[in-house]
Amino acid sequence: MPQLELLLAESDSKLPFQTARLVELWCAEPVFFASRELSDTYYTEGTIGNYALAYALGWARSPYRLTGQDTGRPRYLEDLTPLAEQCYILPAWHIEGNASFRFERFNALSDSYWYAMTNNRVATAREDLPLKRTGKKPNTFRPSNFPQTGRLRMIERGNRFQTLVFGDREVPEYIRVGKFTSKVRVDLLRKLTITPLPQGEYRCNAYLSAADIPSSLELLAFDLISMPPVSLLKNLRFRGAAWQVGDFILPANLKFCGGRNNE
């Protein structure tokens, strides 16, 4: 074997984690994420992303208020990449492969006697309209980017998901996830050992975050779940080093944001 391949094989054999835990998530309340937006309907995909789970487990905290250049900018690099080789979690997949959903309609329109839709907001004062027609915008007429009415597709209460947690950090009994901080129960099912596998071609039977996969991995085929902030991969066939975790086969060296730092 050439010297370069020997070096690669040696680095792939390093295990940042010795064990992993198989975890079940039970939705005690309907869970909502804005995975897709079609007209006035906001859809939740039938999975839970691992970035949301990392925050829900308390591994990272974002500032309550973002100011300056941080305003409107995600902080995943600052918040999650320091967790490399300390802990990691996979996106959660539905146990039966087909989550059930419920639709709810929301209506935040004014209950005043008179209102009208204007520039992305609801005007409740008739005095605003004449000023708008003249091109003037009163202070009460500033546009808002929050929808006032629409429908939500939410993961129904009672759905069960599974995921793998790496590292020895304590896992709480309950977490809160989603836009509405819905309650989810966390059950530890069993502890699994991690066995490194040599370079080869494998099929992954878990969900993966596209941003967490090592750049050296060769992706052969996969199904894409397009959703923010990071799209997920399932049914991945890949060529490279792998980990055997119980009955699961995963690409080796998975890290939040691929281990990139903020420099």
Side-chain angles (χ1 to χ4, degrees):
M1 180 180 294
Q3 188 66 27
L4 179 60
E5 295 183 16
L6 280 173
L7 292 174
L8 288 175
E10 183 181 359
S11 69
D12 290 340
S13 64
K14 295 180 180 177
L15 278 177
F17 311 106
Q18 300 302 318
T19 60
R21 287 165 287 178
L22 180 63
V23 170
E24 180 178 293
L25 306 176
W26 177 74
C27 299
E29 297 174 331
V31 176
F32 170 70
F33 294 96
S35 304
R36 285 181 293 153
E37 299 180 5
L38 299 177
S39 185
D40 67 343
T41 306
Y42 303 83
Y43 289 83
T44 305
E45 288 290 350
T47 178
I48 304 177
N50 58 337
Y51 288 19
L53 291 173
Y55 284 96
L57 290 168
W59 293 353
R61 296 289 184 191
S62 284
Y64 181 76
R65 185 180 300 277
L66 299 176
T67 59
Q69 295 181 349
D70 287 340
T71 304
R73 184 181 66 84
R75 290 177 47 88
Y76 302 122
L77 288 176
E78 294 91 335
D79 295 344
L80 300 181
T81 52
L83 301 175
E85 303 189 2
Q86 297 180 26
C87 54
Y88 184 73
I89 186 170
L90 291 180
W93 60 90
H94 195 266
I95 291 179
E96 299 173 356
N98 190 16
S100 58
F101 301 95
R102 62 183 292 175
F103 277 87
E104 290 188 1
R105 187 168 190 87
F106 68 93
N107 185 348
L109 295 175
S110 171
D111 56 357
S112 63
Y113 176 73
W114 178 92
Y115 68 87
M117 294 297 298
T118 60
N119 186 17
N120 289 336
R121 66 179 289 274
V122 178
T124 56
R126 289 179 182 272
E127 300 79 32
D128 290 348
L129 291 182
L131 290 175
K132 182 190 177 187
R133 294 188 186 110
T134 61
K136 298 180 181 178
K137 294 182 179 179
N139 292 332
T140 59
F141 218 77
R142 289 176 296 180
S144 170
N145 198 29
F146 296 96
Q148 280 88 25
T149 181
R151 295 190 301 165
L152 307 176
R153 189 181 81 161
M154 313 170 72
I155 297 174
E156 176 65 293
R157 180 177 57 190
N159 277 279
R160 295 177 184 272
F161 297 83
Q162 283 187 348
T163 184
L164 291 174
V165 177
F166 297 84
D168 299 326
R169 291 204 174 190
E170 186 176 351
V171 176
E173 186 177 0
Y174 287 91
I175 59 176
R176 291 192 174 274
V177 300
K179 294 288 187 181
F180 304 142
T181 60
S182 304
K183 192 174 184 179
V184 173
R185 190 180 68 203
V186 182
D187 295 319
L188 300 178
L189 298 183
R190 59 182 179 273
K191 196 172 184 178
L192 305 171
T193 58
I194 303 175
T195 304
L197 300 177
Q199 298 272 343
E201 184 173 323
Y202 302 97
R203 183 180 183 277
C204 176
N205 49 352
Y207 283 21
L208 302 171
S209 170
D212 299 349
I213 295 176
S215 58
S216 59
L217 198 74
E218 185 177 356
L219 307 182
L220 303 178
F222 55 84
D223 295 327
L224 180 69
I225 302 176
S226 181
M227 54 184 281
V230 179
S231 295
L232 306 184
L233 309 181
K234 66 177 183 178
N235 301 321
L236 171 67
R237 285 199 306 113
F238 65 96
R239 184 179 293 117
W243 290 342
Q244 174 88 45
V245 186
D247 297 331
F248 302 94
I249 294 180
L250 311 171
N253 302 317
L254 293 170
K255 298 175 182 176
F256 289 114
C257 305
R260 296 185 298 274
N261 56 36
N262 196 33
E263 297 178 354

